[in-house]
């Protein structure tokens, strides 16, 4: 049985002036994890995000196993291993490049790179479920999960 304590790391680029995640740098493992969560059926999501967002670990393992069995054709994941990806605050995923990063800094009107901070965070099932819930409520999912501590 798979462990529910497995975590992957995500490197956030934060605009400290506006307290907002601009984007995150992510590996194949992170993207595959996110895509697996985001492709769950709505009924499954509703059950997982029950009262107060609490979930039983056995239910999560069961859902993950069921999804894996239904999609046996996805053997190597959703994306290629050799590419690093950029995950936007609204969970849009793009291949990462220097040019795209610079373009984003211009898009977000970042004038001083000194206001930017890099922060490495762990992403496991609890954080994944919080991201899933945030994605249904806001376009600032990364910011709401990793910066806005309630």
């Amino acid at each position: 049985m798979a462990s529910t304590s497995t975590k992957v790391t995500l490197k956030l680029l934060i605009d400290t002036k506006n307290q907002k995640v601009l984007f995150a740098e992510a590996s194949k493992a992170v993207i595959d994890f996110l895509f697996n969560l985001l492709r769950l059926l709505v009924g499954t999501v509703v059950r997982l995000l029950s009262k107060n967002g609490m979930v039983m670990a056995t239910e999560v393992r069961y859902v993950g196993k069921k999804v894996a069995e239904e999609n046996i054709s996805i053997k190597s994941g959703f994306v290629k291993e050799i590419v690093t990806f950029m995950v936007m605050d609204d969970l849009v995923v793009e291949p990462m490049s220097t040019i795209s990063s610079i373009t984003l800094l211009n898009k977000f009107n970042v004038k001083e790179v000194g206001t930017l901070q890099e922060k490495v965070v762990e992403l496991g099932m609890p954080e994944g479920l919080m991201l899933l819930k945030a994605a249904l409520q806001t376009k600032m999912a990364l910011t709401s999960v990793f910066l806005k501590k309630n």
Side-chain angles (χ1 to χ4, degrees):
M1 191 176 317
S3 170
T4 57
S5 64
T6 303
K7 293 191 179 231
V8 290
T9 58
L10 192 61
K11 193 182 299 183
L12 306 177
L13 184 64
I14 300 166
D15 178 354
T16 58
K17 185 177 179 184
N18 295 312
Q19 283 300 297
K20 179 180 179 351
V21 174
L22 299 181
F23 61 88
E25 182 180 320
S27 66
K28 174 191 178 0
V30 172
I31 301 304
D32 284 343
F33 177 76
L34 282 175
F35 283 1
N36 272 310
L37 279 176
L38 293 173
R39 64 190 285 280
L40 293 174
L41 299 173
V42 174
T44 302
V45 171
V46 169
R47 280 193 307 271
L48 288 174
L49 299 176
S50 61
K51 186 177 180 183
N52 298 323
M54 302 305 285
V55 179
M56 297 301 293
T58 54
E59 186 176 3
V60 174
R61 279 196 301 271
Y62 171 75
V63 169
K65 182 179 177 192
K66 184 176 178 182
V67 169
E69 289 170 355
E70 290 172 358
N71 297 288
I72 202 75
S73 62
I74 303 172
K75 294 182 194 257
S76 62
F78 293 93
V79 295
K80 296 190 181 214
E81 186 79 43
I82 57 173
V83 179
T84 300
F85 296 90
M86 186 170 12
V87 181
M88 306 305 296
D89 202 9
D90 61 358
L91 304 184
V92 169
V93 176
E94 300 176 9
M96 187 168 196
S97 73
T98 305
I99 293 173
S100 60
S101 300
I102 292 169
T103 301
L104 276 175
L105 293 177
N106 284 330
K107 176 183 171 185
F108 291 122
N109 204 24
V110 174
K111 301 293 185 200
E112 298 177 37
V113 291
T115 63
L116 301 178
Q117 174 189 1
E118 182 181 292
K119 179 179 180 182
V120 177
V121 296
E122 288 188 332
L123 179 62
M125 189 56 74
E127 296 84 5
L129 291 173
M130 288 189 296
L131 275 175
L132 184 58
K133 184 176 181 180
L136 295 170
Q137 297 173 335
T138 179
K139 290 190 180 266
M140 295 174 54
L142 291 174
T143 297
S144 67
V145 170
F146 294 109
L147 294 186
K148 309 262 193 241
K149 299 294 181 192
N150 296 344

